[in-house]
Structures are given as C-alpha cells and as structure tokens.
C-alpha cells in the first residue's frame, strides 16, 4: 500500500507520519500493494481535520475534525475500516459477472487542483467516468458519503448524476446533448 502525505496549513512532523503509517498498515490485509491512500492534514480556525482517501477499484473516504489531530487518527481509521468491510460484504453477495470490468476502467481517480478565478470556481476535480449500472452507482454514492455521484451509465451510454434527495430517496440526472 502506498501512502501519500499532504498537509494544508499544518506543519507535519515525522513522528505524526510514522504514527499514521503504522496505524494504516493494519489496512494492508484488505488491499493489494498498488493501492494508494492519501492522508491530508488540515488546520483552519483552530480545528484540525484529517482526511483519509483510499484509491483502489473504488474510492473510500473518511474525514474527521476536532481540536486534536491524534484523536482524529483514532476516529478516522475505524470509520474507514467499517466502510471497507461493508463494501467487501456487498461484493461477496453480488454476482461476480456484475462486478467484472475491463482493466482500463478500474480506479476512478479523483485529483483536486485548487484554482483561483474570478468566475467563482474555487476547486476543480478531474474524474474518470467508469461505465456502471445505476445500482452500482448507488453503492458507490453510499461508500464515498457524498450527496451526489457522477458516472457513465452502462445501459444508456450517457453521463448521469445520481443524487440523494431530502426524503432519503435517490434522484437521477441524465445528460443530453442538444440536437
């Protein structure tokens, strides 16, 4: 497992890197050697935030904020481990043929690049669209814990956005090109 350490307005000490790396090693049993985990340390307004993002065939994320970075580590890792176990159980219960994908469509890789523009765009993400069914997209949405998920619909061959509605159900936006 590859670990990438990032910090934003936080002075990252070697002992903190070593402590986090040692605790993350416990997750090795779930992943291959080429799996990447990004660890982001942030400090803003007297609040310390720790973000853990695992990039494998899916993206799993855990974010914790408090007044102590060491506490954040002890809270974020169990959250992430629960997500991993939940995802593994879902994969085992599903049919193998639904999860088969060609090697080039693995690992939707999210890359953040902050930009400063007058247009109001403060962050840009490049995202590789993976062909999947709506059911697969619902699972991915639940795993990343966001309010929406963009994907390439395998059956309609169009870009879709799946989102969580206020009533707890899901909505689907289908991208159309003007004629």
């Amino acid at each position: 497992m590859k670990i990438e350490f990032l910090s934003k307005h936080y002075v990252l000490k070697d002992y903190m890197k070593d402590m986090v790396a040692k605790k993350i090693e416990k997750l090795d049993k779930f992943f291959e050697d080429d799996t990447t985990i990004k660890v982001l340390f942030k400090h803003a307004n007297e609040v310390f935030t720790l973000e853990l993002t695992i990039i494998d065939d899916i993206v799993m994320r855990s974010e914790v904020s408090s007044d102590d970075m060491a506490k954040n580590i002890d809270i974020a890792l169990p959250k992430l481990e629960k997500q991993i176990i939940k995802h593994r159980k879902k994969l085992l219960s599903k049919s193998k043929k639904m999860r088969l994908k060609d090697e080039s469509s693995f690992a939707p890789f999210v890359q953040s690049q902050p930009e400063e523009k007058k247009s109001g765009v403060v962050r840009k993400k490049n995202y590789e669209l993976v062909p999947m069914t709506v059911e697969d997209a619902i699972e991915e949405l639940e795993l990343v814990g966001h309010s929406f998920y963009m994907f390439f619909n395998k059956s309609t061959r169009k870009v879709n956005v799946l989102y969580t509605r206020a009533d707890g159900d899901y909505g689907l936006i289908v991208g159309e090109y003007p004629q």
Side-chain angles (χ1 to χ4, degrees):
M1 181 178 285
K2 299 175 210 162
I3 303 173
E4 293 181 18
F5 292 99
L6 308 162
S7 65
K8 189 173 186 180
H9 306 294
Y10 181 80
V11 179
L12 186 57
K13 307 277 184 180
D14 287 337
Y15 78 90
M16 185 66 78
K17 282 184 181 180
D18 294 340
M19 181 173 65
V20 171
K22 184 178 176 183
K23 291 186 179 197
I24 288 176
E25 284 177 5
K26 295 176 184 175
L27 301 177
D28 272 346
K29 61 187 173 189
F30 296 111
F31 298 102
E32 301 293 325
D33 292 337
D34 63 341
T35 301
T36 302
I37 183 163
K38 291 187 178 188
V39 183
L40 175 64
F41 298 87
K42 291 192 293 189
H43 181 247
N45 300 329
E46 301 301 319
V47 175
F48 295 97
T49 302
L50 176 72
E51 289 181 20
L52 300 173
T53 306
I54 295 178
I55 302 169
D56 193 31
D57 59 336
I58 58 157
V59 175
M60 286 183 257
R61 205 172 155 272
S62 176
E63 181 177 342
V64 179
S65 297
S66 75
D67 59 349
D68 183 17
M69 191 60 81
K71 286 181 192 175
N72 291 348
I73 296 164
D74 292 334
I75 296 170
L77 281 169
K79 279 177 66 174
L80 203 52
E81 191 169 3
K82 285 179 187 176
Q83 285 182 28
I84 294 166
I85 292 168
K86 180 180 175 183
H87 178 69
R88 297 286 177 185
K89 285 180 182 177
K90 281 185 180 182
L91 284 181
L92 290 174
S93 68
K94 284 184 104 180
S95 164
K96 286 184 181 179
K97 78 176 184 183
M98 286 187 69
R99 293 305 285 174
L100 287 178
K101 292 181 182 168
D102 121 28
E103 192 66 29
S104 65
S105 67
F106 269 84
F109 184 77
V110 179
Q111 193 175 41
S112 300
Q113 296 175 340
E115 292 184 3
E116 293 184 29
K117 291 185 176 182
K118 293 182 180 182
S119 66
V121 175
V122 295
R123 189 171 182 185
K124 177 184 173 188
K125 287 190 176 188
N126 295 328
Y127 184 76
E128 182 180 329
L129 296 176
V130 177
M132 63 177 63
T133 64
V134 174
E135 291 78 21
D136 289 339
I138 289 172
E139 285 184 21
E140 296 289 331
L141 174 68
E142 291 173 354
L143 283 171
V144 296
H146 292 177
S147 59
F148 69 93
Y149 187 78
M150 184 171 62
F151 67 101
F152 184 79
N153 193 322
K154 198 186 282 187
S155 60
T156 63
R157 308 217 25 97
K158 294 182 179 180
V159 175
N160 290 184
V161 176
L162 181 73
Y163 63 94
T164 307
R165 295 170 40 97
D167 60 5
D169 289 330
Y170 298 103
L172 186 67
I173 299 172
V174 179
E176 297 282 342
Y177 291 106
Q179 299 292 353

